Amino acid sequence: MSSQDIPEENLPAAQDTAHGAVGVADEKHPFADPGLPPHEHRIQDVDERAAKRSERSVALMFTVSMLATIGFIASFVAIPHDKSVYIFPIGHINALNFALGVTLGLALFCIGAGAVHWARTLMSDVEVADDRHPIEASEEVRAKVHADFKQGAKESVIGRRKLIRNTMFGALTLVPLSGVVLLRDLGPLPEEKLRHTLWSKGKLLVNMNTNEPLRPSDVAVGSLTFAKPEGLEEHDHGFQNEIAKAALMIVRIQPENIKDKRELEWSHEGIVAFSKICTHVGCPISLYEQQTHHVLCPCHQSTFDLSDGARVIFGPAGHPLPQLRIGVNDEGYLEALGDFAEPVGPAFWERG
């Protein structure tokens, strides 16, 4: 197609002072509109073998994008986050960050490069002049837009070049998976970790202050004692994570003052052990009123009755404090008879 094939009314060289288009220079319009140059055909327009080569090139770029996206996901899963590699001339860098950056960059680049190469070599490049039209979308304009869209879809050869179409859809479908996989960095999956603590049958109750195992005689009526599981030391890796679930508060109540039947069965001579972690937002509980047997969370004033199964009597906490079943071993030390029967601390989305 050349400029001579374009309808005369669409040629920019037409005399249209409203649009500032003039054919020759004069005093009012010192610059003449040169019009459209003759259209020059690309080699892909006249040689189907060249068009096939371009099609394969575009498909290769989309395929590389898909492989790079798969590499991104594989790197995220397989490469340890603390591994480093030496890359010349950058030096030592984090292997995971390098792999994620390279694969994601290659995936996005290949989609863009493939789209550009497709447009420049296979889509129609015929120059078309069109006059500006009013903003209102008249029936004629809507019909023309629909016709132009259909013509553009036809000229994109997306229906005939199935290899390009399919690989493009594959690349565009896979590349969003990179963002989905990154959601994994919001934190490790909880699995069963939130349902279990270090407490198990036979674990001694160790005084947090003295670091010594507790005997029943060490717990006086009306006192509040904090305990941890045997074997958990402050210098251990992950101590804070473990103590945040396993911390205990131990009080001694006269057995006749314990109202909850299960609480009495799980105690030893009136010594009861409850989780120290508030069931509202996980604050440590430390305020005990020995006359009422109430404990108060200092963060939001949730109040629990330790003589009645640690039920909530005031505040925003949603459920009672979990109780640890305890007993005495052959050596006379207080020990756990298992783990907590329910998860400690606040509720979480998969608790059920």
Side-chain angles (χ1 to χ4, degrees):
M1 176 180 275
S2 66
S3 60
Q4 286 76 16
D5 298 322
I6 303 175
E8 183 177 353
E9 62 272 13
N10 289 339
L11 287 175
Q15 297 290 339
D16 189 351
T17 56
H19 292 80
V22 295
V24 295
D26 54 25
E27 294 182 358
K28 186 176 181 181
H29 302 95
F31 301 101
D33 188 341
L36 291 174
H39 177 70
E40 296 183 6
H41 292 287
R42 303 163 302 187
I43 186 172
Q44 289 86 358
D45 297 331
V46 296
D47 187 350
E48 183 60 22
R49 290 178 300 176
K52 285 290 186 182
R53 287 195 299 271
S54 294
E55 181 181 8
R56 288 193 293 269
S57 298
V58 175
L60 176 62
M61 294 182 197
F62 290 154
T63 302
V64 170
S65 175
M66 289 188 284
L67 294 176
T69 300
I70 295 173
F72 177 94
I73 298 173
S75 300
F76 189 89
V77 173
I79 300 177
H81 66 86
D82 56 352
K83 182 179 180 181
S84 63
V85 293
Y86 180 80
I87 304 295
F88 179 83
I90 303 174
H92 287 90
I93 60 175
N94 184 278
L96 179 59
N97 290 344
F98 179 76
L100 295 181
V102 170
T103 52
L104 182 58
L106 184 61
L108 296 176
F109 173 79
C110 285
I111 289 180
V116 171
H117 191 61
W118 179 10
R120 292 182 63 86
T121 60
L122 294 175
M123 293 184 184
S124 175
D125 70 334
V126 176
E127 300 87 355
V128 177
D130 197 2
D131 291 335
R132 293 185 179 182
H133 53 78
I135 295 178
E136 296 81 11
S138 62
E139 290 295 333
E140 293 78 8
V141 170
R142 286 197 292 269
K144 184 177 184 304
V145 169
H146 293 159
D148 290 344
F149 178 81
K150 293 179 180 179
Q151 181 66 20
K154 180 180 179 181
E155 292 178 350
S156 70
V157 299
I158 193 170
R160 188 159 60 96
R161 306 292 180 181
K162 296 182 179 180
L163 181 60
I164 288 181
R165 181 190 63 194
N166 296 338
T167 52
M168 178 191 70
F169 287 159
L172 293 176
T173 301
L174 283 181
V175 76
L177 293 179
S178 302
V180 174
V181 171
L182 288 177
L183 296 177
R184 176 71 168 75
D185 260 356
L186 292 177
L189 298 177
E191 300 173 344
E192 293 292 316
K193 298 174 184 176
L194 298 179
R195 296 186 177 273
H196 302 288
T197 70
L198 289 182
W199 292 109
S200 60
K201 184 176 177 59
K203 285 264 188 175
L204 297 182
L205 278 63
V206 177
N207 191 307
M208 287 283 290
N209 296 323
T210 65
N211 211 33
E212 296 291 335
L214 286 166
R215 295 178 181 272
S217 58
D218 296 330
V219 184
V221 175
S223 65
L224 175 64
T225 305
F226 299 123
K228 64 179 181 178
E230 174 191 15
L232 181 61
E233 304 295 338
E234 291 189 12
H235 55 76
D236 292 343
H237 177 71
F239 171 81
Q240 297 297 337
N241 288 333
E242 296 300 336
I243 199 63
K245 296 186 294 180
L248 278 184
M249 56 181 176
I250 302 171
V251 299
R252 191 164 199 161
I253 305 173
Q254 295 293 349
E256 59 271 18
N257 293 332
I258 298 178
K259 307 170 187 176
D260 185 78
K261 182 178 179 181
R262 193 185 79 163
E263 178 182 350
L264 182 61
E265 293 175 351
W266 284 21
S267 68
H268 175 76
E269 298 178 354
I271 300 174
V272 294
F274 287 97
S275 171
K276 183 184 176 181
I277 309 305
C278 180
T279 57
H280 177 218
V281 292
C283 295
I285 298 174
S286 58
L287 303 176
Y288 175 59
E289 209 291 310
Q290 61 179 339
Q291 300 299 324
T292 60
H293 311 299
H294 294 170
V295 288
L296 175 70
C297 175
C299 293
H300 305 96
Q301 288 71 56
S302 292
T303 307
F304 306 85
D305 186 354
L306 296 190
S307 67
D308 192 12
R311 67 181 179 89
V312 183
I313 60 175
F314 180 79
H319 49 279
L321 298 172
Q323 182 181 2
L324 184 71
R325 188 173 186 178
I326 61 174
V328 174
N329 64 10
D330 295 337
E331 299 177 356
Y333 292 107
L334 291 172
E335 66 174 3
L337 299 181
D339 199 356
F340 290 104
E342 58 274 339
V344 302
F348 50 95
W349 67 274
E350 63 176 18
R351 175 173 177 170

